[in-house]
């Protein structure tokens, strides 16, 4: 088959989109960012124009030779058509054992009624009120901590149970924030569900089609969950005035502080949290995690390239500064995390040895509690050790294959 005919036939199954200047190719539920020249060529091919006319037009506009244009377009089309790797791996793709809790129609019905919360003036008011109320609650919470030594077993049990149940509610409320923001921006979320991420139970919202909207709208969806947590914090702060007993007020304050902790954690960009997607979308860095790990090689290659003028090097590095900074901090965080896992392993081994040594002196209830605690701790420990080992083996395999 003629090469140009083969390329044209493959392009027909692509979906091409221009979203606020971002050129996208969508194929097989995968989204790819491409350059202007390639986008122009694909649009014209999709419209049935001959490759000769396309090459002539691109030569005048971009200055490339016809053969170079054909080769570049052919390589790009083949790479997209034969690739099964997403340009941007979503958080939902990292979750397994997924269970759908709410379907698209129900989410749309609820989101339609509460989408007014994303009005700019309301958002500004909520954010300012949240900051002020958080300072107030946290300062009062510290004074209440002095009373905790006087809590009995029943009060501590109630406090722990309340915190765990509220954590689930906070996570659920967070996901409805993403769903509502997505709906507000014109994208109907597929579902809200529950699954396992690494070894942790999580709620999730499938808003994988937000590549179809502008950068600013994607950022709004990214922070939608955090914003809803701010709304929740204000509602809980108002509820403080309805309780008179100190222990009830302290429990509610604990929930507010936990909500603040989850909110802060969600902004952390080195897991696939909201902060990760905010950083990725704000700086337009596709597949941020992968590219940040590959960037040190690129950086070293640019710096050591004797044929490239320093002015050109600085220009490239300045353009890639967000990726460089993320790569540095991500490496630092990963190093600390690996060191933490090693320490966690040592602590677990020490705890097992102590348990074996003193088991005969322990009461039955304490033994049962220790067995359950150690089992969970060891299971989590083994999972992370397995992930580290798998990462090392895959890296070595790729190195030797290359």
């Amino acid at each position: 088959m003629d090469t140009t005919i083969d390329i044209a036939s493959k392009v027909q199954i692509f979906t091409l989109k221009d979203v606020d200047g971002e050129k996208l190719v969508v194929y097989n539920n995968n989204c790819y960012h491409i350059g202007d020249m390639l986008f122009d060529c694909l649009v014209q091919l999709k419209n049935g124009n001959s490759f000769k006319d396309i090459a002539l037009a691109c030569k005048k506009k971009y200055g490339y030779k016809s053969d170079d244009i054909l080769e570049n377009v052919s390589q790009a089309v083949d790479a997209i058509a034969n690739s099964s790797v997403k340009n941007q791996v979503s958080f939902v793709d990292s979750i397994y054992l997924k269970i759908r809790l709410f379907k698209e129609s129900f989410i749309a019905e609820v989101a339609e009624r509460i989408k007014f919360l994303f009005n700019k003036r309301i958002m500004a008011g909520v954010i300012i009120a949240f900051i002020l109320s958080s300072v107030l609650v946290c300062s009062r919470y510290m004074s209440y901590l002095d009373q905790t030594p006087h809590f009995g077993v029943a009060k501590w049990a109630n406090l722990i149970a309340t915190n765990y149940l509220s954590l689930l509610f906070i996570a659920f409320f967070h996901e409805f924030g993403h769903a509502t923001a997505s709906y507000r921006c014109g994208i109907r979320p597929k579902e809200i569900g529950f699954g396992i991420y690494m070894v942790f139970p999580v709620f999730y919202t499938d808003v994988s089609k937000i590549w179809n909207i502008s950068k600013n709208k994607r950022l709004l969806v990214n922070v939608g969950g955090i914003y809803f947590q701010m709304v929740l914090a204000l509602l809980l702060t108002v509820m403080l005035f309805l309780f008179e007993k100190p222990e009830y007020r302290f429990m509610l304050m604990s929930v507010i502080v936990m909500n603040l902790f989850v909110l802060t954690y969600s902004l952390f960009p080195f897991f696939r949290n909201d902060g990760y997607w905010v950083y990725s979308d704000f700086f337009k860095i596709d597949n941020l995690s992968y590219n940040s790990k590959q960037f040190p090689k690129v950086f070293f290659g640019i710096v050591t390239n004797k044929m490239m003028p320093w002015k050109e090097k600085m220009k490239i590095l300045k353009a890639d500064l967000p990726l460089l900074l993320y790569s540095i901090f991500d490496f630092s965080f990963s190093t600390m995390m690996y060191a933490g896992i090693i320490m966690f392993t040592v602590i677990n081994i020490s705890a097992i040895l102590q348990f074996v040594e003193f088991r005969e002196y322990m009461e039955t209830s304490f033994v049962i509690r220790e067995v359950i605690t150690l089992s969970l701790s060891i299971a989590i420990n083994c999972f992370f050790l397995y992930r580290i080992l798998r990462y090392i083996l895959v890296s070595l395999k790729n190195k030797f294959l290359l």
Side-chain angles (χ1 to χ4, degrees):
M1 182 182 289
D2 182 57
T3 305
T4 55
I5 297 175
D6 185 32
I7 294 172
S9 63
K10 289 179 180 178
V11 171
Q12 296 305 316
I13 59 178
F14 293 167
T15 300
L16 306 176
K17 290 183 175 291
D18 185 344
V19 182
D20 286 356
E22 293 184 72
K23 306 301 191 296
L24 306 175
V25 178
V26 183
Y27 172 64
N28 196 25
N29 291 324
N30 298 337
C31 177
Y32 305 87
H33 286 77
I34 60 174
D36 292 339
M37 188 204 75
L38 178 58
F39 185 82
D40 288 346
C41 291
L42 297 184
V43 168
Q44 293 184 60
L45 280 171
K46 202 172 179 65
N47 291 336
N49 295 349
S50 68
F51 204 89
K52 183 178 179 180
D53 293 338
I54 295 171
L56 184 62
C58 288
K59 184 179 179 181
K60 289 181 180 179
K61 187 174 182 179
Y62 299 102
Y64 287 98
K65 296 180 180 179
S66 299
D67 291 340
D68 292 338
I69 293 171
L70 174 60
E71 183 180 355
N72 290 336
V73 172
S74 177
Q75 289 178 354
V77 170
D78 285 339
I80 294 172
N82 298 326
S83 176
S84 60
V85 180
K86 287 190 177 180
N87 187 238
Q88 188 83 290
V89 181
S90 70
F91 175 70
V92 177
D93 296 324
S94 305
I95 298 173
Y96 54 96
L97 299 179
K98 293 193 284 281
I99 300 173
R100 186 175 70 176
L101 299 178
F102 299 103
K103 58 184 181 179
E104 183 177 331
S105 58
F106 177 80
I107 298 171
E109 184 179 346
V110 175
E112 178 64 32
R113 298 178 181 180
I114 60 176
K115 67 179 183 180
F116 71 90
L117 289 170
F118 285 95
N119 176 278
K120 290 182 180 179
R121 293 182 178 179
I122 293 177
M123 288 187 70
V126 167
I127 293 171
I128 293 171
F130 165 76
I131 294 172
L132 296 175
S133 66
S134 295
V135 173
L136 175 64
V137 170
C138 288
S139 61
R140 295 287 299 276
Y141 182 74
M142 296 303 294
S143 64
Y144 271 84
L145 281 177
D146 296 334
Q147 302 177 19
T148 55
H150 305 291
F151 277 20
V153 176
K155 286 184 179 180
W156 270 113
N158 289 334
L159 179 62
I160 293 171
T162 301
N163 283 338
Y164 274 106
L165 290 174
S166 62
L167 186 61
L168 292 174
F169 179 72
I170 290 167
F172 175 74
F173 207 79
H174 178 101
E175 295 307 323
F176 243 107
H178 287 305
T180 306
S182 177
Y183 185 83
R184 169 87 180 192
C185 294
I187 301 295
R188 290 169 67 100
K190 285 184 178 180
E191 64 183 31
I192 292 178
F194 180 83
I196 303 296
Y197 174 64
M198 292 188 177
V199 294
F200 307 109
V202 293
F203 290 100
Y204 69 89
T205 304
D206 191 343
V207 290
S208 52
K209 288 188 177 181
I210 63 169
W211 48 260
N212 203 23
I213 57 180
S214 66
K215 168 186 166 181
N216 289 339
K217 288 182 178 180
R218 288 201 305 272
L219 290 172
L220 181 64
V221 176
N222 291 336
V223 301
I226 294 171
Y227 172 66
F228 259 43
Q229 284 186 245
M230 294 181 182
V231 174
L232 177 62
L234 293 180
L235 295 175
L236 293 174
T237 303
V238 171
M239 289 176 61
L240 276 175
F241 295 98
L242 303 178
F243 293 99
E244 296 181 358
K245 290 187 176 181
E247 57 265 31
Y248 291 157
R249 293 173 67 88
F250 178 71
M251 285 183 182
L252 197 54
M253 283 184 182
S254 297
V255 174
I256 295 172
V257 171
M258 178 175 288
N259 179 53
L260 183 61
F261 171 79
V262 174
L263 187 152
T264 306
Y265 169 77
S266 296
L267 286 171
F268 195 66
F270 303 115
F271 294 121
R272 291 191 186 276
N273 294 335
D274 298 341
Y276 174 90
W277 301 109
V278 168
Y279 197 96
S280 175
D281 283 334
F282 184 82
F283 292 109
K284 297 182 180 180
I285 305 174
D286 297 325
N287 208 351
L288 175 60
S289 179
Y290 174 80
N291 286 326
S292 68
K293 289 178 173 57
Q294 299 300 314
F295 190 74
K297 298 177 184 177
V298 178
F299 178 80
F300 182 77
I302 293 172
V303 172
T304 57
N305 188 344
K306 296 180 180 179
M307 302 297 293
M308 185 182 294
W310 270 104
K311 185 177 288 188
E312 187 67 23
K313 291 180 182 180
M314 295 306 297
K315 183 178 179 181
I316 295 173
L317 294 176
K318 184 179 179 181
D320 288 328
L321 182 61
L323 184 58
L324 173 63
L325 293 175
Y326 186 90
S327 180
I328 293 171
F329 286 109
D330 184 45
F331 175 79
S332 302
F333 170 73
S334 298
T335 302
M336 290 189 294
M337 188 177 69
Y338 292 143
I341 292 172
I342 293 172
M343 290 179 62
F344 186 46
T345 304
V346 172
I347 291 171
N348 272 334
I349 293 173
S350 176
I352 292 170
L353 294 176
Q354 288 184 7
F355 176 74
V356 172
E357 183 178 356
F358 297 105
R359 183 183 59 183
E360 58 185 90
Y361 305 107
M362 299 177 183
E363 296 180 0
T364 305
S365 59
F366 187 79
V367 170
I368 294 173
R369 188 176 67 181
E370 282 294 296
V371 168
I372 294 173
T373 303
L374 283 174
S375 298
L376 290 173
S377 182
I378 292 168
I380 294 173
N381 200 166
C382 289
F383 173 80
F384 283 111
L385 288 175
Y386 158 74
R387 291 292 293 262
I388 292 174
L389 180 62
R390 190 180 70 170
Y391 175 77
I392 293 172
L393 291 175
V394 170
S395 299
L396 290 174
K397 180 182 177 182
N398 291 338
K399 182 177 180 179
F400 284 117
L401 284 177
L402 293 174

